[in-house]
């Protein structure tokens, strides 16, 4: 194997050395600025609580593997976890979390207060309304887990060197060649930064952005409080507190204090740089709340207390992967101890096999837009991540930093009363308040009604009946120039078609996983416009581009609309010299021309399954494009429509969304993205139609058959053309048969659903081809 240097011998660096040497890469050197293995990093002070249930399947799986692996190494106590609720909203949230556990394979149960007190006798059960019990959660002794993995890695040939602060990362021609300390150099083919919250210092050495913010968090050990070592770990999210036993004492962690960002330059210069002086004032409230939940604490006091430093990222997910701008530099940072072994395994697979075995797109180092890497953005969003760590967060709750990326249509949208959501920094209209609500809207549950409006129905129906204008600017547009062979080698479909052809296909990784879902428009012999899903598509193309091929992300400098509906052709024809007749401009064709005075690229395709075009232009012409279409649209009943309508129409047509319905670990055949032929896979992405009860899932919910969890919902929306909620779910192939009855877990309810033949609307795709 290659020569690998790992920076950092915390739990993540040690786990990675173990995973790499376990794969036969034995030339591994791990360097740490501190002494081994109480290095003074976060690991040295982590109380090691492992909660496996998370809305993210990926984070849940990282934690599951960590718990299982450390149990096998004698470094995990499965004492179980109890998360208590003190409000009705929290109790509902615990049911939702129970559902995630069912979806991701982490069994749990929602208990009443008496059952909680039986499990955790120190609790005052009159304070709580219930709890979520996860028997397989527990505690990992972080330093021992690091040391145990380091010992195994050493036995396979790795070496660990303490008191070696890396001061430089060496490189030549865009590739790492090694690292240097004050007086030594270590040559390496690959360097992995596992420097924890020192990430920004490694970023400064390399120029590779590592967007994390170190912040302090309070931890207290009490005097004896009647605890005992078998006690479950406890979370009191309504007060941002967690608890574990240290013998007869309790350890209390609190996030209920002002965020305390830490400047690396201000860290103590002793052996414990991540241990800052305790701030008792900010803990007083938390102590009172602790004693209210656990009355035995009234006779105890804090005995040992500190503010410990750990990493926070803009979206709360770790930073994993190879740097885009410096090949051979890998990063595994902002990883919780609870995810350490899982993250290390995934990174080791990625390094050794070219891809991780599980989907890591939420954790990918290269997932951010340039603006999202600004120190201002990182700080404001990371602080919010800290504040919200135990909040009940709706998947559509917008982040604190808004108006980072706006399309040129934004002022017109605002005039129309657009209500904006946020996607990858973009302001994206969800619906337009000036569109009238339907006369008798379908009743809908409170949770799925958040960041949603009945107006979506008006917009969806208008798209099917007349014509609607959608802002497609937030989609990623990438211009590729060079021989077609480059793209042919990356995608599944045949893109070597005549200029003027559009192909909807998938980019595949070396093992055949779906790396991206793209439309490739061939605009000239060597000129391609690609529609994709974000920075990861750009990164993937650039990584593979040979000399002579140019890959340009033109998203920010361009904009796009979707003009869709039966009246789209009549609206567009008088505005353009391009022949937009059915024969002159066929489905999945592209033309360059003008709309009014605006130079455009027109793609005849449809995200919503209707006649129409995606029309791109440069950002400078955006307003003019919108106004031209809007003006001409009056006589055709054109309305502006938002993402809520789009999502509904897309699911009626069975269009998959990459990152939600399909990811890198999925096979394009099983996902229904390529014709499956005579394959007999284990599982399918399946269309479900729900009983119309007013409940509409949002994604992540478990699917049950015969009372057993068998899969999970990826996307869902109400389909007005269908008259029922629609969900897509990964199901075992035996169940993915039309007519099969299943149930979806939604809070404390079970929603009846039936497997349906898809697409539900216009199955022969006649409408968009007209
Ligand atoms: P670290 O342990 O910080 O290791 C990074 C290493 O890199 C350090 O040893 C450092 O010395 C070394 N290093 C940095 N720069 C250089 C350089 N230039 N050259 C050489 N070496 C360098 N997580 C949980 O999962 N559950 C919990 O309950 C939990 N509670 C926590 C409570 C507290 C009070 C704190 C502080 C953290 C807690 N965490 C918890 C977080 C957890 O500690 C971290 O997520 C985890 O330890 C990170 O491991 P790491 O190896 O990435 O980082």
């Amino acid at each position: 194997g290659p020569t690998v240097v790992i920076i950092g011998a915390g739990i993540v660096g040690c786990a990675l050395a173990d995973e790499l040497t376990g794969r036969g890469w034995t030339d591994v050197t791990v360097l740490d600025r501190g002494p081994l293995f109480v290095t003074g990093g976060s690991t040295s002070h982590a109380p090691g609580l492992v909660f496996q249930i998370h809305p993210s399947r990926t984070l849940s799986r990282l934690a599951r593997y960590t718990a299982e692996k450390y149990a096998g190494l004698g470094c995990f106590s499965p004492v179980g976890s109890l998360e208590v609720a003190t409000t009705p909203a929290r109790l509902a949230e615990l049911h939702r979390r129970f559902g995630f556990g069912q979806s991701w394979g982490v069994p749990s149960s929602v208990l009443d207060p008496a059952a909680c007190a039986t499990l955790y006798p120190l609790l005052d059960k009159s304070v709580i309304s219930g709890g979520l019990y996860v028997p397989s959660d527990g505690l990992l002794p972080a330093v021992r887990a690091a040391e145990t993995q380091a010992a195994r890695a050493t036995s396979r040939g790795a070496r660990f060197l303490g008191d070696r602060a890396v001061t430089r990362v060496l490189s030549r021609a865009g590739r790492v060649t090694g690292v240097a300390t004050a007086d030594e150099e270590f040559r390496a083919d690959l360097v992995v930064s596992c420097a924890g919250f020192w990430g920004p210092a490694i970023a400064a050495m390399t120029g590779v952005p590592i967007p994390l913010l170190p912040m302090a968090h309070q931890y207290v050990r009490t005097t004896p409080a009647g605890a005992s070592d078998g006690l479950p770990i406890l979370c009191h999210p309504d007060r941002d507190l967690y608890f574990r036993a240290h013998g007869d004492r309790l350890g209390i962690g609190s996030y209920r204090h002002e965020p305390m960002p830490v400047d690396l330059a201000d860290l103590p210069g002793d052996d414990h740089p991540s241990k800052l002086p305790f701030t008792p004032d900010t803990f007083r409230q938390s102590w009172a709340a602790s004693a209210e939940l656990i009355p035995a604490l009234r006779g105890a006091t804090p005995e040992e207390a500190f503010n410990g430093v750990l990493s926070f990222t803009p979206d709360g997910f770790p930073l994993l992967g190879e740097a885009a701008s410096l090949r051979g530099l890998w990063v595994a940072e902002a990883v919780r101890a609870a995810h350490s072994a899982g993250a290390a395994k995934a990174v080791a697979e990625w390094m050794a096999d070219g891809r991780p075995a599980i989907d890591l797109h939420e954790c990918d180092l290269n997932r951010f837009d340039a603006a999202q890497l600004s120190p201002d953005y990182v700080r404001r969003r990371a602080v919010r991540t800290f504040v919200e760590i135990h909040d009940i967060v709706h998947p559509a709750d917008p982040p604190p930093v808004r108006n980072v990326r706006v399309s040129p249509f934004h002022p017109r949208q605002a005039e129309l009363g657009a209500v904006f959501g946020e996607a990858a920094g973009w302001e994206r209209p969800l619906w337009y308040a000036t569109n009238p609500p339907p006369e008798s809207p379908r009743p809908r549950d409170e949770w799925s009604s958040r960041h949603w409006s009945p107006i979506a129905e008006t917009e969806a129906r208008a798209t099917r009946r007349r014509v609607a204008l959608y802002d497609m600017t937030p989609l990623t547009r990438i211009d590729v120039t060079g021989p077609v062979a480059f793209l042919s080698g990356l995608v599944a479909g045949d893109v070597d078609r005549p200029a003027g052809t559009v192909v909807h296909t998938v980019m595949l990784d070396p093992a055949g996983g779906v790396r991206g879902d793209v439309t490739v428009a061939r605009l000239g012999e060597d000129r391609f416009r690609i529609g994709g899903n974000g920075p990861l598509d750009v990164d993937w193309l650039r990584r593979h581009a040979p000399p002579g091929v140019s890959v340009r992300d033109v998203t920010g400098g361009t904009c796009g609309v979707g003009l869709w509906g039966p009246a789209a052709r009549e609206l567009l024809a008088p505005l353009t010299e391009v022949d937009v007749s059915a024969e002159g401009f066929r489905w999945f064709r592209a033309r360059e021309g003008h709309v009014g005075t605006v130079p455009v690229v027109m793609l005849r395709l449809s995200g919503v399954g209707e006649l129409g075009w995606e029309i791109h232009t440069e950002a400078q012409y955006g307003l003019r494009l919108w106004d031209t279409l809007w003006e001409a649209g009056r006589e055709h009943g054109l309305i502006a429509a938002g993402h809520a309508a789009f999502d509904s129409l897309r699911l009626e047509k069975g269009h998959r969304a990459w990152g939600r319905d399909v990811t890198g670990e999925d096979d394009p055949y099983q996902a229904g993205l390529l014709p499956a032929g005579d394959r007999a896979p284990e599982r399918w992405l399946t269309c479900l139609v729900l009983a119309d009860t007013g409940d509409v899932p949002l994604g992540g919910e478990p699917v049950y058959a015969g009372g057993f969890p068998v899969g999970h919902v990826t996307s869902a929306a109400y389909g007005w053309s269908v008259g029922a909620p629609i969900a897509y779910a990964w199901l075992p192939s035996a169940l993915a048969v039309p007519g099969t009855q299943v149930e979806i877990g939604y809070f404390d309810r079970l929603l009846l659903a039936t497997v349906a033949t898809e697409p539900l609307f216009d199955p022969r795709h006649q409408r968009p081809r007209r």
Side-chain angles (χ1 to χ4, degrees):
T3 301
V4 181
V5 165
I6 296 173
I7 307 172
I11 194 166
V12 175
C14 292
L16 183 61
D18 182 47
E19 295 287 341
L20 286 175
T21 55
R23 282 170 177 70
W25 283 20
T26 53
D27 187 357
V28 173
T29 302
V30 186
L31 305 174
D32 202 289
R33 61 196 295 284
L36 302 176
F37 283 89
V38 181
T39 63
S42 301
T43 304
S44 307
H45 309 295
L49 287 77
V50 179
F51 295 96
Q52 297 166 85
I53 294 183
H54 190 279
S56 158
R57 180 187 190 205
T58 296
L59 289 193
S60 248
R61 292 201 287 187
L62 298 183
R64 249 179 77 185
Y65 177 77
T66 303
E68 281 161 17
K69 177 180 179 185
Y70 292 171
L73 294 174
C75 294
F76 183 71
S77 324
V79 292
S81 76
L82 184 64
E83 180 175 351
V84 293
T86 58
T87 65
R90 179 65 65 179
L91 192 59
E93 173 71 1
L94 295 187
H95 282 286
R96 199 168 75 96
R97 293 175 72 79
F98 164 82
F100 290 127
Q102 296 292 92
S103 291
W104 317 144
V106 183
S108 68
S109 42
V110 178
L111 305 179
D112 65 20
C116 292
T118 305
L119 266 171
Y120 204 99
L122 297 178
L123 279 181
D124 178 352
K125 62 176 186 285
S126 71
V127 178
I128 60 173
S129 49
L132 179 71
Y133 174 54
V134 185
S136 60
D137 280 351
L139 283 166
L140 64 88
V143 173
R144 187 148 62 81
E147 209 164 348
T148 304
Q149 294 175 96
R152 189 157 75 176
T154 304
S155 74
R156 298 178 185 134
R159 52 180 184 153
F160 286 76
L161 305 173
D163 302 309
R164 305 283 205 299
V166 171
T167 51
R168 278 181 306 141
V169 173
L170 311 173
S171 63
R172 194 175 331 111
R175 265 211 84 85
V176 297
T177 55
V179 302
T181 62
D183 42 26
E184 283 170 284
E185 283 195 3
F186 297 84
R187 193 197 72 72
D189 303 310
L190 302 171
V191 172
V192 192
S193 178
C194 298
F197 66 79
W198 279 274
I202 305 295
M205 286 176 210
T206 56
V208 169
I210 300 183
L212 66 80
L213 182 70
M215 278 199 268
H217 152 61
Q218 295 196 293
Y219 195 73
V220 165
R221 272 179 196 238
T222 70
T223 54
S228 61
D229 275 334
L231 211 55
I233 57 176
L234 178 68
C235 184
H236 183 11
D238 294 326
R239 296 299 178 92
D240 288 320
L241 293 169
Y242 65 81
F243 304 84
R244 62 157 289 185
H246 294 282
D248 60 355
R249 291 138 208 270
L250 281 173
I252 308 175
S254 167
Y255 288 95
R256 183 54 71 96
H257 52 76
E258 281 301 300
M260 300 187 268
V262 173
D263 195 326
L264 293 179
D266 298 339
L267 295 176
D270 58 14
D271 276 352
H272 291 287
S274 68
K275 203 171 181 182
L276 303 181
F278 189 56
T279 45
D281 285 354
T282 50
F283 191 70
R284 230 157 255 142
Q285 254 194 346
S286 296
W287 181 264
S290 302
E292 197 192 353
L293 184 68
I294 302 175
L297 284 173
R298 289 180 193 141
T301 51
E303 189 175 63
E304 225 188 294
F306 63 98
N307 293 354
V309 184
L310 67 161
S311 306
F312 286 81
T313 56
D315 53 11
F317 282 83
L319 304 170
L320 307 176
E322 188 186 18
S325 56
L326 184 54
R327 289 295 131 87
L329 179 72
W330 290 74
V331 170
E333 295 188 35
V335 177
R336 292 305 203 94
H339 302 139
S340 53
K345 173 172 186 271
V347 171
E349 289 161 351
W350 203 347
M351 293 171 71
D353 311 336
R355 70 174 302 213
I358 63 167
D359 162 42
L360 285 188
H361 81 275
E362 295 164 300
C363 308
D364 196 308
L365 176 66
N366 302 306
R367 66 187 179 271
F368 302 98
D369 173 68
Q372 297 174 314
L373 295 168
S374 63
D376 180 58
Y377 184 91
V378 172
R379 188 181 180 90
R380 284 158 70 191
R381 282 211 60 182
V383 161
R384 170 75 85 98
T385 310
F386 179 97
V387 171
E388 279 184 347
I389 195 157
H390 290 125
D391 287 3
I392 299 169
V393 178
H394 188 279
D397 281 348
V401 192
R402 298 297 298 271
N403 294 308
V404 175
R405 308 169 87 182
V406 293
S407 85
F409 318 131
H410 191 268
R412 296 294 182 267
Q413 295 167 341
E415 284 161 25
L416 294 170
V419 173
F420 293 95
E422 190 264 9
W426 286 103
E427 294 297 314
R428 183 168 68 175
L430 299 175
W431 67 86
Y432 292 84
T434 52
N435 289 328
E439 270 169 28
S440 48
R442 294 288 313 146
R444 185 161 161 134
D445 72 285
E446 190 278 332
W447 180 255
S448 75
S449 299
R450 295 191 195 176
H451 311 292
W452 186 86
S453 161
I455 290 172
E457 176 178 352
T458 307
E459 297 175 3
R461 290 195 190 278
T463 311
R464 295 259 182 261
R465 285 186 194 145
R466 299 190 309 272
V467 58
L469 192 59
Y470 289 83
D471 185 356
M472 304 308 287
T473 306
L475 288 190
T476 304
R477 288 168 295 284
I478 307 161
D479 281 357
V480 172
T481 315
V484 66
F486 164 61
L487 289 173
S488 297
L490 288 184
V491 303
D494 176 14
V495 289
D496 192 2
R497 309 271 299 281
T501 310
V502 184
V503 177
H504 176 213
T505 184
V506 289
M507 297 199 287
L508 297 178
D509 70 20
V514 183
R515 227 358 253 241
D517 178 19
V518 290
T519 53
V520 180
R522 189 171 199 173
L523 301 178
E525 176 62 22
D526 285 349
R527 228 158 36 86
F528 302 85
R529 163 77 47 98
I530 297 182
N533 289 293
L536 293 180
D537 287 343
V538 182
D539 180 53
W540 185 257
L541 288 164
R542 286 206 178 123
R543 246 167 229 283
H544 292 89
V549 167
S550 125
V551 174
R552 244 167 18 103
D553 179 358
V554 297
T555 310
T558 58
C559 58
V561 295
L563 180 72
W564 289 313
R569 181 177 286 129
E570 290 159 64
L571 191 165
L572 189 60
L575 303 178
T576 179
E577 77 280 20
V578 176
D579 173 5
V580 296
S581 67
E583 311 71 43
F585 199 148
R586 293 183 17 238
W587 204 35
F588 278 91
R589 294 293 186 277
R591 298 278 180 280
E592 289 172 282
H594 300 83
V595 168
T597 58
V598 178
V600 295
V601 176
M602 300 157 90
L603 309 177
R604 191 164 164 213
L605 49 81
S606 172
V608 298
E610 293 296 334
L611 170 68
W613 286 265
E614 217 178 273
I615 306 174
H616 301 175
T617 189
E618 287 175 18
Q620 60 180 341
Y621 302 123
L623 261 190
R624 181 73 179 204
L625 175 64
W626 181 280
D627 289 345
T628 305
L629 293 169
W630 192 253
E631 195 56 36
R634 274 180 211 284
E635 59 181 291
H636 300 282
L638 177 71
I639 67 164
H643 192 70
F646 183 91
D647 223 25
S648 161
L649 299 171
R650 129 180 127 80
L651 286 184
E652 291 182 344
K653 289 299 298 178
H655 293 161
R656 278 78 170 133
W658 193 87
R660 291 179 66 186
D661 305 310
V662 187
T663 70
E665 70 180 80
D666 299 318
D667 166 317
Y669 304 97
Q670 300 174 359
L673 285 165
L674 296 177
D678 53 4
R679 283 157 199 268
E682 280 168 35
R683 51 185 210 125
W684 288 107
L685 184 57
T686 308
C687 177
L688 304 174
V689 175
L690 279 73
D692 190 5
T693 60
D695 286 318
V696 183
L698 297 178
E701 297 84 357
V703 180
Y704 299 99
F708 293 97
V710 290
H712 67 274
V713 173
T714 56
S715 293
Y718 194 90
W720 288 280
S721 316
V722 178
I726 305 162
Y728 273 76
W730 282 100
L731 291 186
S733 46
L735 294 171
V737 179
T740 305
Q741 304 279 326
V742 295
E743 291 170 318
I744 295 172
Y746 190 59
F747 293 94
D748 55 354
R749 314 191 272 289
L750 288 174
L751 313 179
L752 295 178
T754 308
V755 174
T757 305
E758 63 162 331
L760 296 168
F761 183 75
D762 184 24
R764 296 176 59 208
H765 304 296
Q766 284 165 328
R767 296 172 68 91
R769 290 180 206 249
R770 290 190 277 205

